[in-house]
Amino acid sequence: MSVFVASPLHAGSPALAHSASPRLSPGHNAACLSPASTPTAFALPPSADEAAAAPDQFQELVKTLRIFITCVEKYPTDPVAGAVAVRARAPLAQATELCIRGVFEEFGIALSSGDSVSLLSATWFMREFCEASTSARALVNQYGGAQLLGPVLLSPQADKKVIVETIKLLDCLKGCDGILEAIAHSHNGASWVQAQLLWHLRDRVRENFDSMKTASPKNMILAAMTSFQARPDDCTVHDAALTLLADVLSCEEHRSAFAEVQGWQYLLSALELHRGKLELQRRGLQILCQLQRGGAWGGEHTKRSAQVVMCAIEAFQDDSHILEWGLWLLLQLGGLLDVLRVLSQTGEASDIGLGVLHALQRLDWSQMEG
């Protein structure tokens, strides 16, 4: 189910406060918190005084339980521990379910009322539950938890801490595909939220690229391209989108996907349109360097690519990244004559000439072989 399709438990709905809660049977396994068909009424929201006193009372209740859990972990083969664990399994499963459901309902209340402090707390709790337990994650998904996250990400009053935690929870619940879907729906929301989604995806790529291979390479490329195109004047989104592209294009499969979805036209047009933006030109040249590694069918774009690189070098001769990456690209693209032509026109003592000579000295010429 889509993250951005209304859930029957959407915020503000009476269903959220009074929806059926799964009853756990006496023999229910705590490792599998799947809702059963028999509903049970959930308690009315506590008063402020009850909520204030509850944490101390709760800690007193769990002291014995904490001791027992520690003993089970240390002595898993102890017969008494095993017998008591069998008896306690179903009540513990129900208590776990009540904690998850309680947080879930507080999330809905906070979302309806606009209470960002409680919303952050509830989102954090849900993420902690879901990251620690697959059964908790399944239960939150069955309650429609992921569907409640769409309105948070699209809210114009979104709090940054809430958004960061929401994106982490969405990733935990729906993985890379959930983040990609959120990016696709974020074009009309706050630009910084879209950038945050792109940065999160980039961080996932850097942490463990293999875990991202379940996502379609084309969808990954399109997420960056459409974000850039949706906000042609937003440098924050541009930087996040191009940085994501530069990272995923380290993989040949993604370089081929880039070519298939008209990535060359998108990239070169962006660099031509934004010639005065240093950060964008840096990212663009970094991407062009990645594309030279093969698989992107760039032969027909050689001349245009060389022109784009030359324009970047001329515009930002004081930037070491532009000069080094640009010169490497020109050598790969057969454009060394362009560099020599600039030197002859400006003179070696000019700012551009000196910058080019210094960059040539720093180049790793072994990269030019073959």
Side-chain angles (χ1 to χ4, degrees):
M1 181 182 289
S2 169
V3 174
F4 290 84
V5 173
S7 166
L9 299 182
H10 62 80
S13 167
L16 183 61
H18 304 293
S19 58
S21 172
R23 184 189 299 276
L24 302 176
S25 63
H28 191 86
N29 190 331
C32 183
L33 303 177
S34 57
S37 58
T38 307
T40 99
F42 200 64
L44 293 174
S47 67
D49 290 340
E50 289 174 327
D56 289 339
Q57 297 169 354
F58 186 83
Q59 289 187 55
E60 180 63 30
L61 286 171
V62 300
K63 283 180 180 178
T64 302
L65 181 59
R66 189 176 291 117
I67 292 171
F68 179 72
I69 291 173
T70 301
C71 291
V72 170
E73 291 173 344
K74 287 185 175 181
Y75 311 108
T77 60
D78 182 83
V80 173
V84 175
V86 170
R87 295 190 186 97
R89 185 172 54 193
L92 283 175
Q94 188 168 22
T96 302
E97 184 269 336
L98 288 173
C99 288
I100 295 172
R101 179 170 171 78
V103 170
F104 189 80
E105 294 200 353
E106 290 301 317
F107 176 92
I109 293 169
L111 184 59
S112 298
S113 64
D115 182 352
S116 61
V117 175
S118 296
L119 188 61
L120 175 60
S121 177
T123 307
W124 181 87
F125 270 114
M126 280 203 287
R127 180 185 61 77
E128 288 286 314
F129 291 156
C130 292
E131 288 182 351
S133 167
T134 55
S135 54
R137 185 161 60 249
L139 190 58
V140 170
N141 271 321
Q142 288 171 9
Y143 279 145
Q147 282 68 56
L148 287 181
L149 303 183
V152 179
L153 294 172
L154 296 178
S155 171
Q157 290 82 34
D159 175 84
K160 184 171 183 179
K161 291 182 179 179
V162 172
I163 289 297
V164 170
E165 203 64 42
T166 299
I167 293 172
K168 291 179 181 178
L169 175 57
L170 176 61
D171 191 356
C172 184
L173 292 172
K174 295 297 183 181
C176 181
D177 288 336
I179 301 297
L180 289 171
E181 183 185 356
I183 291 172
H185 284 84
S186 66
H187 299 325
N188 295 323
S191 62
W192 69 267
V193 173
Q194 187 169 36
Q196 197 70 45
L197 285 161
L198 291 165
W199 284 120
H200 179 86
L201 200 56
R202 191 289 306 264
D203 290 343
R204 281 283 309 275
V205 170
R206 290 193 173 183
E207 288 170 5
N208 187 357
F209 190 76
D210 289 339
S211 69
M212 307 294 289
K213 290 184 178 179
T214 56
S216 162
K218 287 185 180 180
N219 288 344
M220 292 280 285
I221 301 297
L222 287 171
M225 288 174 52
T226 56
S227 297
F228 189 104
Q229 292 164 341
R231 303 182 189 274
D233 299 316
D234 195 301
C235 294
T236 304
V237 173
H238 294 175
D239 194 33
L242 294 177
T243 303
L244 173 62
L245 266 184
D247 280 12
V248 300
L249 290 175
S250 63
C251 173
E252 184 173 356
E253 187 178 5
H254 288 73
R255 293 196 293 273
S256 297
F258 176 87
E260 290 177 21
V261 298
Q262 306 302 313
W264 281 102
Q265 178 64 30
Y266 148 75
L267 176 63
L268 295 175
S269 295
L271 290 172
E272 290 165 347
L273 183 62
H274 299 284
R275 287 179 175 172
K277 295 181 179 179
L278 173 59
E279 287 298 327
L280 191 147
Q281 293 294 320
R282 277 182 182 169
R283 297 298 185 192
L285 296 195
Q286 185 182 11
I287 291 170
L288 287 173
C289 287
Q290 290 280 39
L291 294 171
Q292 292 305 308
R293 299 171 65 181
W297 323 325
E300 63 184 281
H301 305 287
T302 298
K303 182 177 180 180
R304 189 177 173 192
S305 297
Q307 291 172 343
V308 163
V309 172
M310 201 65 222
C311 287
I313 290 175
E314 290 174 346
F316 301 106
Q317 68 269 21
D318 295 331
D319 186 82
S320 61
H321 293 297
I322 292 287
L323 282 174
E324 290 184 42
W325 294 342
L327 288 170
W328 186 88
L329 282 165
L330 285 176
L331 291 169
Q332 291 290 310
L333 297 168
L336 182 57
L337 289 177
D338 291 327
V339 179
L340 298 178
R341 190 177 300 115
V342 171
L343 282 173
S344 66
Q345 291 172 353
T346 62
E348 295 180 5
S350 68
D351 290 341
I352 294 179
L354 289 173
V356 169
L357 290 174
H358 290 159
L360 286 170
Q361 291 174 347
R362 291 193 298 270
L363 273 177
D364 182 358
W365 289 90
S366 65
Q367 296 183 54
M368 309 305 155
E369 296 177 358

PDB file of all heavy atoms in Angstrom, residues 264-290:
ATOM      1  N   TRP A 264      21.792  11.819 -19.858  1.00  0.00           N
ATOM      2  CA  TRP A 264      22.782  12.712 -20.469  1.00  0.00           C
ATOM      3  C   TRP A 264      22.153  14.060 -20.802  1.00  0.00           C
ATOM      4  O   TRP A 264      22.745  15.117 -20.533  1.00  0.00           O
ATOM      5  CB  TRP A 264      23.358  12.066 -21.736  1.00  0.00           C
ATOM      6  CG  TRP A 264      24.403  11.039 -21.471  1.00  0.00           C
ATOM      7  CD1 TRP A 264      24.263   9.687 -21.511  1.00  0.00           C
ATOM      8  CD2 TRP A 264      25.767  11.285 -21.126  1.00  0.00           C
ATOM      9  NE1 TRP A 264      25.448   9.069 -21.212  1.00  0.00           N
ATOM     10  CE2 TRP A 264      26.394  10.021 -20.977  1.00  0.00           C
ATOM     11  CE3 TRP A 264      26.531  12.440 -20.935  1.00  0.00           C
ATOM     12  CZ2 TRP A 264      27.734   9.887 -20.636  1.00  0.00           C
ATOM     13  CZ3 TRP A 264      27.874  12.303 -20.601  1.00  0.00           C
ATOM     14  CH2 TRP A 264      28.453  11.044 -20.459  1.00  0.00           C
ATOM     15  N   GLN A 265      20.975  14.017 -21.414  1.00  0.00           N
ATOM     16  CA  GLN A 265      20.305  15.256 -21.786  1.00  0.00           C
ATOM     17  C   GLN A 265      19.992  16.095 -20.554  1.00  0.00           C
ATOM     18  O   GLN A 265      20.181  17.318 -20.537  1.00  0.00           O
ATOM     19  CB  GLN A 265      19.002  14.923 -22.543  1.00  0.00           C
ATOM     20  CG  GLN A 265      18.169  16.133 -22.944  1.00  0.00           C
ATOM     21  CD  GLN A 265      18.881  17.045 -23.928  1.00  0.00           C
ATOM     22  OE1 GLN A 265      19.698  16.590 -24.716  1.00  0.00           O
ATOM     23  NE2 GLN A 265      18.575  18.337 -23.873  1.00  0.00           N
ATOM     24  N   TYR A 266      19.535  15.420 -19.513  1.00  0.00           N
ATOM     25  CA  TYR A 266      19.212  16.119 -18.262  1.00  0.00           C
ATOM     26  C   TYR A 266      20.456  16.768 -17.658  1.00  0.00           C
ATOM     27  O   TYR A 266      20.451  17.957 -17.307  1.00  0.00           O
ATOM     28  CB  TYR A 266      18.598  15.122 -17.284  1.00  0.00           C
ATOM     29  CG  TYR A 266      18.885  15.397 -15.830  1.00  0.00           C
ATOM     30  CD1 TYR A 266      18.239  16.419 -15.141  1.00  0.00           C
ATOM     31  CD2 TYR A 266      19.825  14.618 -15.145  1.00  0.00           C
ATOM     32  CE1 TYR A 266      18.514  16.662 -13.805  1.00  0.00           C
ATOM     33  CE2 TYR A 266      20.097  14.856 -13.811  1.00  0.00           C
ATOM     34  CZ  TYR A 266      19.445  15.876 -13.152  1.00  0.00           C
ATOM     35  OH  TYR A 266      19.725  16.124 -11.834  1.00  0.00           O
ATOM     36  N   LEU A 267      21.537  16.016 -17.546  1.00  0.00           N
ATOM     37  CA  LEU A 267      22.742  16.513 -16.884  1.00  0.00           C
ATOM     38  C   LEU A 267      23.381  17.655 -17.660  1.00  0.00           C
ATOM     39  O   LEU A 267      23.705  18.714 -17.096  1.00  0.00           O
ATOM     40  CB  LEU A 267      23.737  15.373 -16.694  1.00  0.00           C
ATOM     41  CG  LEU A 267      25.090  15.767 -16.100  1.00  0.00           C
ATOM     42  CD1 LEU A 267      24.911  16.310 -14.683  1.00  0.00           C
ATOM     43  CD2 LEU A 267      26.044  14.580 -16.106  1.00  0.00           C
ATOM     44  N   LEU A 268      23.584  17.456 -18.966  1.00  0.00           N
ATOM     45  CA  LEU A 268      24.252  18.482 -19.760  1.00  0.00           C
ATOM     46  C   LEU A 268      23.410  19.756 -19.848  1.00  0.00           C
ATOM     47  O   LEU A 268      23.946  20.871 -19.805  1.00  0.00           O
ATOM     48  CB  LEU A 268      24.567  17.935 -21.152  1.00  0.00           C
ATOM     49  CG  LEU A 268      25.582  16.771 -21.167  1.00  0.00           C
ATOM     50  CD1 LEU A 268      25.742  16.211 -22.579  1.00  0.00           C
ATOM     51  CD2 LEU A 268      26.925  17.206 -20.611  1.00  0.00           C
ATOM     52  N   SER A 269      22.092  19.597 -19.935  1.00  0.00           N
ATOM     53  CA  SER A 269      21.221  20.780 -19.964  1.00  0.00           C
ATOM     54  C   SER A 269      21.305  21.552 -18.652  1.00  0.00           C
ATOM     55  O   SER A 269      21.325  22.793 -18.642  1.00  0.00           O
ATOM     56  CB  SER A 269      19.770  20.360 -20.231  1.00  0.00           C
ATOM     57  OG  SER A 269      19.636  19.793 -21.517  1.00  0.00           O
ATOM     58  N   ALA A 270      21.356  20.812 -17.534  1.00  0.00           N
ATOM     59  CA  ALA A 270      21.451  21.465 -16.224  1.00  0.00           C
ATOM     60  C   ALA A 270      22.752  22.239 -16.092  1.00  0.00           C
ATOM     61  O   ALA A 270      22.778  23.373 -15.592  1.00  0.00           O
ATOM     62  CB  ALA A 270      21.345  20.413 -15.116  1.00  0.00           C
ATOM     63  N   LEU A 271      23.859  21.652 -16.563  1.00  0.00           N
ATOM     64  CA  LEU A 271      25.152  22.335 -16.473  1.00  0.00           C
ATOM     65  C   LEU A 271      25.202  23.551 -17.394  1.00  0.00           C
ATOM     66  O   LEU A 271      25.809  24.572 -17.060  1.00  0.00           O
ATOM     67  CB  LEU A 271      26.273  21.362 -16.818  1.00  0.00           C
ATOM     68  CG  LEU A 271      26.528  20.245 -15.787  1.00  0.00           C
ATOM     69  CD1 LEU A 271      27.524  19.232 -16.323  1.00  0.00           C
ATOM     70  CD2 LEU A 271      27.026  20.840 -14.483  1.00  0.00           C
ATOM     71  N   GLU A 272      24.556  23.459 -18.536  1.00  0.00           N
ATOM     72  CA  GLU A 272      24.519  24.600 -19.460  1.00  0.00           C
ATOM     73  C   GLU A 272      23.635  25.720 -18.917  1.00  0.00           C
ATOM     74  O   GLU A 272      23.935  26.901 -19.068  1.00  0.00           O
ATOM     75  CB  GLU A 272      24.003  24.137 -20.825  1.00  0.00           C
ATOM     76  CG  GLU A 272      25.000  23.242 -21.567  1.00  0.00           C
ATOM     77  CD  GLU A 272      24.370  22.502 -22.730  1.00  0.00           C
ATOM     78  OE1 GLU A 272      23.117  22.484 -22.830  1.00  0.00           O
ATOM     79  OE2 GLU A 272      25.118  21.933 -23.544  1.00  0.00           O
ATOM     80  N   LEU A 273      22.536  25.340 -18.266  1.00  0.00           N
ATOM     81  CA  LEU A 273      21.582  26.325 -17.759  1.00  0.00           C
ATOM     82  C   LEU A 273      22.110  27.060 -16.533  1.00  0.00           C
ATOM     83  O   LEU A 273      21.808  28.237 -16.315  1.00  0.00           O
ATOM     84  CB  LEU A 273      20.258  25.619 -17.422  1.00  0.00           C
ATOM     85  CG  LEU A 273      19.111  26.497 -16.942  1.00  0.00           C
ATOM     86  CD1 LEU A 273      18.706  27.501 -18.022  1.00  0.00           C
ATOM     87  CD2 LEU A 273      17.919  25.643 -16.531  1.00  0.00           C
ATOM     88  N   HIS A 274      22.929  26.366 -15.724  1.00  0.00           N
ATOM     89  CA  HIS A 274      23.392  26.934 -14.445  1.00  0.00           C
ATOM     90  C   HIS A 274      24.913  27.105 -14.456  1.00  0.00           C
ATOM     91  O   HIS A 274      25.606  26.653 -13.552  1.00  0.00           O
ATOM     92  CB  HIS A 274      22.973  26.020 -13.292  1.00  0.00           C
ATOM     93  CG  HIS A 274      21.493  25.847 -13.166  1.00  0.00           C
ATOM     94  ND1 HIS A 274      20.667  26.807 -12.638  1.00  0.00           N
ATOM     95  CD2 HIS A 274      20.685  24.818 -13.522  1.00  0.00           C
ATOM     96  CE1 HIS A 274      19.413  26.383 -12.646  1.00  0.00           C
ATOM     97  NE2 HIS A 274      19.395  25.179 -13.184  1.00  0.00           N
ATOM     98  N   ARG A 275      25.420  27.757 -15.457  1.00  0.00           N
ATOM     99  CA  ARG A 275      26.875  27.896 -15.608  1.00  0.00           C
ATOM    100  C   ARG A 275      27.495  28.744 -14.507  1.00  0.00           C
ATOM    101  O   ARG A 275      28.686  28.639 -14.252  1.00  0.00           O
ATOM    102  CB  ARG A 275      27.190  28.509 -16.973  1.00  0.00           C
ATOM    103  CG  ARG A 275      26.959  27.529 -18.120  1.00  0.00           C
ATOM    104  CD  ARG A 275      27.242  28.146 -19.462  1.00  0.00           C
ATOM    105  NE  ARG A 275      27.120  27.155 -20.527  1.00  0.00           N
ATOM    106  CZ  ARG A 275      27.158  27.441 -21.827  1.00  0.00           C
ATOM    107  NH1 ARG A 275      27.337  28.707 -22.217  1.00  0.00           N
ATOM    108  NH2 ARG A 275      27.039  26.488 -22.727  1.00  0.00           N
ATOM    109  N   GLY A 276      26.708  29.576 -13.865  1.00  0.00           N
ATOM    110  CA  GLY A 276      27.266  30.449 -12.838  1.00  0.00           C
ATOM    111  C   GLY A 276      27.226  29.884 -11.435  1.00  0.00           C
ATOM    112  O   GLY A 276      27.632  30.569 -10.487  1.00  0.00           O
ATOM    113  N   LYS A 277      26.754  28.654 -11.265  1.00  0.00           N
ATOM    114  CA  LYS A 277      26.614  28.062  -9.933  1.00  0.00           C
ATOM    115  C   LYS A 277      27.756  27.077  -9.674  1.00  0.00           C
ATOM    116  O   LYS A 277      27.791  25.985 -10.249  1.00  0.00           O
ATOM    117  CB  LYS A 277      25.259  27.367  -9.790  1.00  0.00           C
ATOM    118  CG  LYS A 277      24.094  28.347  -9.867  1.00  0.00           C
ATOM    119  CD  LYS A 277      22.755  27.647  -9.688  1.00  0.00           C
ATOM    120  CE  LYS A 277      21.599  28.653  -9.737  1.00  0.00           C
ATOM    121  NZ  LYS A 277      20.279  27.989  -9.587  1.00  0.00           N
ATOM    122  N   LEU A 278      28.664  27.474  -8.801  1.00  0.00           N
ATOM    123  CA  LEU A 278      29.874  26.684  -8.561  1.00  0.00           C
ATOM    124  C   LEU A 278      29.564  25.284  -8.053  1.00  0.00           C
ATOM    125  O   LEU A 278      30.089  24.293  -8.585  1.00  0.00           O
ATOM    126  CB  LEU A 278      30.773  27.424  -7.563  1.00  0.00           C
ATOM    127  CG  LEU A 278      32.016  26.654  -7.080  1.00  0.00           C
ATOM    128  CD1 LEU A 278      32.910  26.270  -8.243  1.00  0.00           C
ATOM    129  CD2 LEU A 278      32.787  27.489  -6.050  1.00  0.00           C
ATOM    130  N   GLU A 279      28.737  25.165  -7.018  1.00  0.00           N
ATOM    131  CA  GLU A 279      28.473  23.850  -6.427  1.00  0.00           C
ATOM    132  C   GLU A 279      27.844  22.910  -7.447  1.00  0.00           C
ATOM    133  O   GLU A 279      28.173  21.720  -7.506  1.00  0.00           O
ATOM    134  CB  GLU A 279      27.566  23.989  -5.203  1.00  0.00           C
ATOM    135  CG  GLU A 279      28.260  24.572  -3.981  1.00  0.00           C
ATOM    136  CD  GLU A 279      29.411  23.712  -3.492  1.00  0.00           C
ATOM    137  OE1 GLU A 279      29.335  22.483  -3.617  1.00  0.00           O
ATOM    138  OE2 GLU A 279      30.402  24.271  -3.004  1.00  0.00           O
ATOM    139  N   LEU A 280      26.929  23.462  -8.243  1.00  0.00           N
ATOM    140  CA  LEU A 280      26.280  22.616  -9.245  1.00  0.00           C
ATOM    141  C   LEU A 280      27.288  22.155 -10.300  1.00  0.00           C
ATOM    142  O   LEU A 280      27.270  20.995 -10.729  1.00  0.00           O
ATOM    143  CB  LEU A 280      25.136  23.392  -9.892  1.00  0.00           C
ATOM    144  CG  LEU A 280      24.190  22.583 -10.777  1.00  0.00           C
ATOM    145  CD1 LEU A 280      22.775  23.164 -10.684  1.00  0.00           C
ATOM    146  CD2 LEU A 280      24.645  22.599 -12.233  1.00  0.00           C
ATOM    147  N   GLN A 281      28.181  23.044 -10.703  1.00  0.00           N
ATOM    148  CA  GLN A 281      29.200  22.664 -11.690  1.00  0.00           C
ATOM    149  C   GLN A 281      30.144  21.609 -11.117  1.00  0.00           C
ATOM    150  O   GLN A 281      30.540  20.668 -11.813  1.00  0.00           O
ATOM    151  CB  GLN A 281      29.981  23.901 -12.127  1.00  0.00           C
ATOM    152  CG  GLN A 281      29.164  24.915 -12.923  1.00  0.00           C
ATOM    153  CD  GLN A 281      28.709  24.390 -14.274  1.00  0.00           C
ATOM    154  OE1 GLN A 281      29.455  23.701 -14.970  1.00  0.00           O
ATOM    155  NE2 GLN A 281      27.476  24.715 -14.656  1.00  0.00           N
ATOM    156  N   ARG A 282      30.495  21.755  -9.843  1.00  0.00           N
ATOM    157  CA  ARG A 282      31.354  20.742  -9.207  1.00  0.00           C
ATOM    158  C   ARG A 282      30.697  19.370  -9.265  1.00  0.00           C
ATOM    159  O   ARG A 282      31.317  18.370  -9.657  1.00  0.00           O
ATOM    160  CB  ARG A 282      31.606  21.120  -7.753  1.00  0.00           C
ATOM    161  CG  ARG A 282      32.719  22.102  -7.506  1.00  0.00           C
ATOM    162  CD  ARG A 282      32.852  22.304  -6.011  1.00  0.00           C
ATOM    163  NE  ARG A 282      33.863  23.266  -5.641  1.00  0.00           N
ATOM    164  CZ  ARG A 282      33.992  23.732  -4.411  1.00  0.00           C
ATOM    165  NH1 ARG A 282      33.178  23.331  -3.460  1.00  0.00           N
ATOM    166  NH2 ARG A 282      34.943  24.603  -4.133  1.00  0.00           N
ATOM    167  N   ARG A 283      29.438  19.315  -8.809  1.00  0.00           N
ATOM    168  CA  ARG A 283      28.729  18.038  -8.789  1.00  0.00           C
ATOM    169  C   ARG A 283      28.587  17.473 -10.196  1.00  0.00           C
ATOM    170  O   ARG A 283      28.709  16.263 -10.419  1.00  0.00           O
ATOM    171  CB  ARG A 283      27.350  18.204  -8.154  1.00  0.00           C
ATOM    172  CG  ARG A 283      27.365  18.624  -6.699  1.00  0.00           C
ATOM    173  CD  ARG A 283      28.032  17.599  -5.817  1.00  0.00           C
ATOM    174  NE  ARG A 283      27.931  17.971  -4.414  1.00  0.00           N
ATOM    175  CZ  ARG A 283      28.604  17.392  -3.437  1.00  0.00           C
ATOM    176  NH1 ARG A 283      29.443  16.410  -3.708  1.00  0.00           N
ATOM    177  NH2 ARG A 283      28.454  17.785  -2.178  1.00  0.00           N
ATOM    178  N   GLY A 284      28.314  18.373 -11.140  1.00  0.00           N
ATOM    179  CA  GLY A 284      28.153  17.912 -12.516  1.00  0.00           C
ATOM    180  C   GLY A 284      29.418  17.281 -13.074  1.00  0.00           C
ATOM    181  O   GLY A 284      29.371  16.226 -13.722  1.00  0.00           O
ATOM    182  N   LEU A 285      30.569  17.920 -12.829  1.00  0.00           N
ATOM    183  CA  LEU A 285      31.827  17.346 -13.306  1.00  0.00           C
ATOM    184  C   LEU A 285      32.142  16.036 -12.590  1.00  0.00           C
ATOM    185  O   LEU A 285      32.696  15.099 -13.188  1.00  0.00           O
ATOM    186  CB  LEU A 285      32.976  18.345 -13.112  1.00  0.00           C
ATOM    187  CG  LEU A 285      32.913  19.656 -13.908  1.00  0.00           C
ATOM    188  CD1 LEU A 285      34.274  20.345 -13.876  1.00  0.00           C
ATOM    189  CD2 LEU A 285      32.456  19.443 -15.332  1.00  0.00           C
ATOM    190  N   GLN A 286      31.781  15.964 -11.303  1.00  0.00           N
ATOM    191  CA  GLN A 286      31.979  14.714 -10.575  1.00  0.00           C
ATOM    192  C   GLN A 286      31.174  13.583 -11.210  1.00  0.00           C
ATOM    193  O   GLN A 286      31.657  12.452 -11.358  1.00  0.00           O
ATOM    194  CB  GLN A 286      31.558  14.906  -9.116  1.00  0.00           C
ATOM    195  CG  GLN A 286      31.839  13.712  -8.226  1.00  0.00           C
ATOM    196  CD  GLN A 286      31.355  13.934  -6.799  1.00  0.00           C
ATOM    197  OE1 GLN A 286      30.638  14.893  -6.507  1.00  0.00           O
ATOM    198  NE2 GLN A 286      31.750  13.052  -5.900  1.00  0.00           N
ATOM    199  N   ILE A 287      29.949  13.888 -11.614  1.00  0.00           N
ATOM    200  CA  ILE A 287      29.103  12.883 -12.272  1.00  0.00           C
ATOM    201  C   ILE A 287      29.694  12.496 -13.624  1.00  0.00           C
ATOM    202  O   ILE A 287      29.733  11.314 -13.986  1.00  0.00           O
ATOM    203  CB  ILE A 287      27.668  13.420 -12.439  1.00  0.00           C
ATOM    204  CG1 ILE A 287      27.002  13.535 -11.074  1.00  0.00           C
ATOM    205  CG2 ILE A 287      26.847  12.527 -13.355  1.00  0.00           C
ATOM    206  CD1 ILE A 287      25.678  14.263 -11.087  1.00  0.00           C
ATOM    207  N   LEU A 288      30.167  13.475 -14.382  1.00  0.00           N
ATOM    208  CA  LEU A 288      30.787  13.173 -15.679  1.00  0.00           C
ATOM    209  C   LEU A 288      32.007  12.269 -15.509  1.00  0.00           C
ATOM    210  O   LEU A 288      32.262  11.384 -16.338  1.00  0.00           O
ATOM    211  CB  LEU A 288      31.181  14.471 -16.392  1.00  0.00           C
ATOM    212  CG  LEU A 288      30.027  15.295 -16.972  1.00  0.00           C
ATOM    213  CD1 LEU A 288      30.537  16.628 -17.504  1.00  0.00           C
ATOM    214  CD2 LEU A 288      29.309  14.527 -18.076  1.00  0.00           C
ATOM    215  N   CYS A 289      32.757  12.479 -14.425  1.00  0.00           N
ATOM    216  CA  CYS A 289      33.895  11.590 -14.145  1.00  0.00           C
ATOM    217  C   CYS A 289      33.412  10.155 -13.920  1.00  0.00           C
ATOM    218  O   CYS A 289      34.021   9.198 -14.412  1.00  0.00           O
ATOM    219  CB  CYS A 289      34.654  12.085 -12.921  1.00  0.00           C
ATOM    220  SG  CYS A 289      35.638  13.580 -13.185  1.00  0.00           S
ATOM    221  N   GLN A 290      32.328   9.993 -13.175  1.00  0.00           N
ATOM    222  CA  GLN A 290      31.775   8.658 -12.929  1.00  0.00           C
ATOM    223  C   GLN A 290      31.328   8.019 -14.249  1.00  0.00           C
ATOM    224  O   GLN A 290      31.548   6.824 -14.486  1.00  0.00           O
ATOM    225  CB  GLN A 290      30.577   8.738 -11.973  1.00  0.00           C
ATOM    226  CG  GLN A 290      30.924   9.086 -10.541  1.00  0.00           C
ATOM    227  CD  GLN A 290      31.446   7.887  -9.763  1.00  0.00           C
ATOM    228  OE1 GLN A 290      32.195   7.058 -10.278  1.00  0.00           O
ATOM    229  NE2 GLN A 290      31.056   7.795  -8.498  1.00  0.00           N
TER     230      GLN A 290
END
